[in-house]
Amino acid sequence: MVHIRTTITRRGLGALLAAGLLATGLSGCGNSDTGGDAGGTDKIVLGFSQVGAESGWRTANTNSIKEAAGAAGIELKFDDAQQKQENQIKAIRNFIQQKVDVIAFSPVVESGWDTVLKEARDAKIPVILTDRSVDSADKTLYQTFIGSDFVKEGRLSGEWLVEQTRSATGPVNIVELQGTTGSAPANDRRKGFAEAIAANPNLKVVASQSGDFTRAGGKQVMEQFLKANPKIDVLFAHNDDMGLGALEAITAAGKVPGKDITIITIDAVKDGMQALADGKFNFIAECSPLLGPQLMDLVKKVHAGESVPTRVETEETTFTVEQAKAALPTRKY
Ligand code: AHR
């Protein structure tokens, strides 16, 4: 479920862009209300560049976008960037060349987007960021950003740990499996978690490394952590998949996940929820991948030149073992 956090009146650039879109539509070239050149139909044509297929979360997100586009009657040109920024930049340039009506993408990393976003703006194609944001100072380069508050997810994870370790008298050693280096969720979850655990000086991150949001990465880095650190009390993994990979390494090292090592993850996809219900994980902060329907609403609005909120924040919760057991039977992804 998503809710709109900030509503603004039509922004200066949005209005200009909308005016440009209408003007080109009326003059019969470029994008028009009767469909962009890309599709040759009456449908709105959306070019979407996805991060990749690195996790269960990503698969659910891709499915949500494809299903929602079909349901909304929007023609979707879908590109999988295989977790490479250069592939996303290429895809966006292709969308511009094809004169799609709207471009949406989930940026692999936060930095380095200004040039290609300016190219989209020059071509008068509105851009929507989904799931992850960019660090561009010029906020007029995109119309809106729909996605989670990653800092909050990290903070909720850290606050739960602070609560659980209130009676600890000695050091609590934490290892952290970070997401893709330079990505918004890796940067923000790390920040939120660090801020929250500062409340208890016993809590110390003794090792922190990227597992690239994948199971294989989580397993491999956790093996290294276990070899290098004789006492690990807590694992904080930036997503379920890395936590699931780490489970294999922990078990292979003769330790009991969820007991010898407390495990906190983010996402709450089915496999993660199952591990939590089984007591192998201890806590999950949810990150919802079901962004498709709301993205399609935004696509229709920006295409029509209507005002949209600059930020649409996903509504999320957290899960303990008991809550996971209750939620699992109806979990959709
Ligand atoms: O950007 C969202 C993150 O990307 C999810 O938490 C992770 O599983 C995915 O790979």
Side-chain angles (χ1 to χ4, degrees):
M1 206 204 322
V2 275
H3 74 275
I4 292 171
R5 195 183 61 173
T6 325
T7 306
I8 59 153
T9 53
R10 183 183 304 241
R11 296 189 312 169
L13 180 88
L16 280 176
L17 207 48
L21 281 170
L22 288 174
T24 44
L26 288 172
S27 66
C29 59
N31 303 291
S32 77
D33 289 340
T34 53
D37 290 356
T41 67
D42 284 349
K43 286 182 170 182
I44 297 172
V45 180
L46 168 66
F48 183 83
S49 170
Q50 179 61 288
V51 168
E54 74 282 5
S55 62
W57 188 100
R58 190 63 55 195
T59 304
N61 179 247
T62 292
N63 291 342
S64 171
I65 287 163
K66 287 183 174 173
E67 279 166 26
I74 288 173
E75 184 179 331
L76 179 66
K77 291 186 176 293
F78 184 89
D79 180 86
D80 177 340
Q82 300 178 343
Q83 284 196 280
K84 290 198 175 74
Q85 182 176 33
E86 67 258 35
N87 289 348
Q88 286 202 299
I89 291 174
K90 252 186 238 161
I92 294 169
R93 290 200 168 121
N94 268 335
F95 294 148
I96 294 171
Q97 253 183 5
Q98 291 172 60
K99 299 187 170 128
V100 301
D101 295 307
V102 180
I103 292 172
F105 76 114
S106 175
V108 179
V109 291
E110 279 190 285
S111 304
W113 298 103
D114 286 24
T115 305
V116 75
L117 289 179
K118 276 179 193 149
E119 290 169 24
R121 186 172 62 186
D122 290 347
K124 298 186 170 60
I125 301 176
V127 173
I128 297 174
L129 303 178
T130 81
D131 162 36
R132 302 180 181 180
S133 193
V134 298
D135 64 5
S136 303
D138 183 354
K139 305 293 175 205
T140 66
L141 289 174
Y142 54 92
Q143 301 295 296
T144 180
F145 163 43
I146 173 174
S148 307
D149 181 341
F150 297 134
V151 177
K152 184 173 163 195
E153 292 166 353
R155 194 172 58 241
L156 290 171
S157 304
E159 284 171 356
W160 179 83
L161 184 61
V162 168
E163 201 50 45
Q164 300 302 307
T165 52
R166 270 201 193 290
S167 55
T169 47
V172 176
N173 290 346
I174 305 165
V175 294
E176 180 181 34
L177 280 168
Q178 294 178 39
T180 302
T181 305
S183 69
N187 294 341
D188 293 354
R189 288 171 184 168
R190 190 171 187 204
K191 181 174 183 282
F193 185 76
E195 282 169 5
I197 64 166
N200 181 349
N202 281 323
L203 300 179
K204 286 206 166 49
V205 178
V206 294
S208 182
Q209 205 179 306
S210 173
D212 212 11
F213 280 131
T214 65
R215 281 191 201 204
K219 183 178 177 201
Q220 198 198 334
V221 177
M222 192 67 204
E223 283 166 354
Q224 292 167 24
F225 284 165
L226 286 159
K227 276 188 198 136
N229 301 277
K231 180 181 177 289
I232 297 175
D233 303 301
V234 178
L235 163 65
F236 171 47
H238 287 190
N239 79 343
D240 287 343
D241 278 80
M242 290 191 294
L244 291 163
L247 283 185
E248 293 178 39
I250 293 169
T251 310
K255 294 184 188 290
V256 182
K259 293 205 167 64
D260 295 335
I261 299 179
T262 298
I263 301 180
I264 302 165
T265 69
I266 294 177
D267 275 357
V269 296
K270 249 193 184 147
D271 289 354
M273 292 287 271
Q274 187 62 60
L276 183 58
D278 294 344
K280 294 175 180 167
F281 285 179
N282 303 82
F283 184 78
I284 302 181
E286 185 184 37
C287 177
S288 175
L290 305 180
L291 305 179
Q294 198 135 10
L295 172 61
M296 298 312 148
D297 284 350
L298 290 167
V299 167
K300 285 182 180 170
K301 282 188 175 143
V302 299
H303 180 60
E306 289 174 29
S307 69
V308 292
T310 51
R311 175 78 168 99
V312 182
E313 195 181 304
T314 315
E315 194 175 282
E316 288 154 348
T317 184
T318 59
F319 295 96
T320 59
V321 172
E322 291 313 315
Q323 289 165 331
K325 282 182 190 163
L328 248 181
T330 53
R331 199 74 182 156
K332 287 201 179 63
Y333 56 91

